[in-house]
Amino acid sequence: DAKTTQPPSMDCAEGRAANLPCNHSTISGNEYVYWYRQIHSQGPQYIIHGLKNNETNEMASLIITEDRKSSTLILPHATLRDTAVYYCIVRGSGTYKYIFGTGTRLKVLA
Amino acid sequence: GAVVSQHPSRVICKSGTSVKIECRSLDFQATTMFWYRQFPKKSLMLMATSNEGSKATYEQGVEKDKFLINHASLTLSTLTVTSAHPEDSSFYICSAPGIDNQPQHFGDGTRLSIL
């Protein structure tokens, strides 16, 4: 089973920040959180990952709570092209396997 | 640029045909690769782990004889859907793990349609 839970869907106005939450309450101390997105009929696209510190790159920011039981992916200025399904993944200890949850379907509205 | 190349991107064939899908790692070696299956509006489901030089490890409920996996070299894994039927129609995706805690690299997927 997936180690993460996400809301099934969210809407965001174009130009506004999109904040996508993820719960991973059973995460272990050395397990990273990975975020991907999938646009229809394409493979998942890597966005960002982190362990415990907040991370930022050209695509997004990742905020991880101090207890590491949840995180939030922030797209600072959402565009229509950000409409996709976003997956938060915690890889199991001792394995490279990803078990995908249901993800969040983000719809950016004009 | 893409670090994992998957081919073909789309295939349509008749029922009973066997179909081979290739997954290549570009510019890096992958002793392990993963194969996923995805139905419309559903999440990715891990089918199996492909291991270079040894047998693949299948997830529970995945038919080994239906989905043959071969990891012939450090840059190539293949998935063969044997005697495909319409219910095997799906989107198949491969990936290769990054080093240590680096993220997995995914292919662009193969849309398989069995008529």
Side-chain angles (χ1 to χ4, degrees):
Chain A
D1 291 347
K3 300 182 69 172
T4 62
T5 56
Q6 299 174 253
S9 64
M10 291 181 66
D11 290 343
C12 177
E14 188 178 20
R16 305 297 293 268
N19 298 293
L20 293 95
C22 178
N23 284 322
H24 31 81
S25 59
T26 62
I27 195 169
S28 298
N30 61 348
E31 293 176 338
Y32 282 69
V33 181
Y34 301 85
W35 282 84
Y36 287 79
R37 71 181 183 186
Q38 187 180 28
I39 296 169
H40 182 62
S41 293
Q42 297 181 23
Q45 176 191 21
Y46 165 74
I47 301 173
I48 199 166
H49 73 290
L51 180 62
K52 54 184 178 181
N53 297 322
N54 297 338
E55 302 287 344
T56 296
N57 63 21
E58 65 278 4
M59 290 182 69
S61 293
L62 174 60
I63 309 298
I64 302 173
T65 58
E66 193 167 339
D67 63 7
R68 303 211 322 119
K69 292 185 177 182
S70 66
S71 61
T72 301
L73 178 75
I74 301 173
L75 307 179
H77 305 287
T79 70
L80 298 178
R81 287 180 296 179
D82 292 322
T83 293
V85 178
Y86 287 76
Y87 294 101
C88 165
I89 299 164
V90 172
R91 199 178 71 192
S93 295
T95 176
Y96 288 108
K97 292 198 298 188
Y98 283 177
I99 303 300
F100 281 78
T102 55
T104 296
R105 189 172 296 274
L106 175 69
K107 187 172 183 180
V108 180
L109 306 172
Chain B
V3 293
V4 171
S5 174
Q6 191 171 338
H7 178 80
S9 59
R10 184 177 180 94
V11 59
I12 302 171
C13 56
K14 294 180 179 180
S15 185
T17 307
S18 291
V19 179
K20 181 184 285 188
I21 303 169
E22 293 187 347
C23 183
R24 293 181 184 275
S25 58
L26 308 178
D27 300 325
F28 71 102
Q29 295 180 337
T31 56
T32 299
M33 291 186 181
F34 301 103
W35 288 95
Y36 298 84
R37 182 175 185 178
Q38 186 176 32
F39 291 107
K41 297 191 183 299
K42 299 293 184 182
S43 186
L44 283 76
M45 181 190 76
L46 180 66
M47 298 174 67
T49 303
S50 173
N51 303 300
E52 190 270 335
S54 65
K55 291 182 179 180
T57 306
Y58 290 82
E59 296 298 306
Q60 191 173 10
V62 177
E63 298 178 62
K64 300 177 183 181
D65 296 332
K66 163 65 77 174
F67 301 102
L68 299 180
I69 291 173
N70 184 280
H71 198 135
S73 75
L74 288 171
T75 59
L76 174 65
S77 174
T78 60
L79 168 67
T80 301
V81 184
T82 62
S83 186
H85 292 285
E87 58 266 29
D88 298 321
S89 298
S90 193
F91 191 54
Y92 293 88
I93 307 167
C94 70
S95 73
I99 298 171
D100 295 328
N101 291 301
Q102 292 304 303
Q104 281 190 20
H105 309 288
F106 285 84
D108 287 335
T110 297
R111 173 82 47 200
L112 175 63
S113 300
I114 307 299
L115 305 177

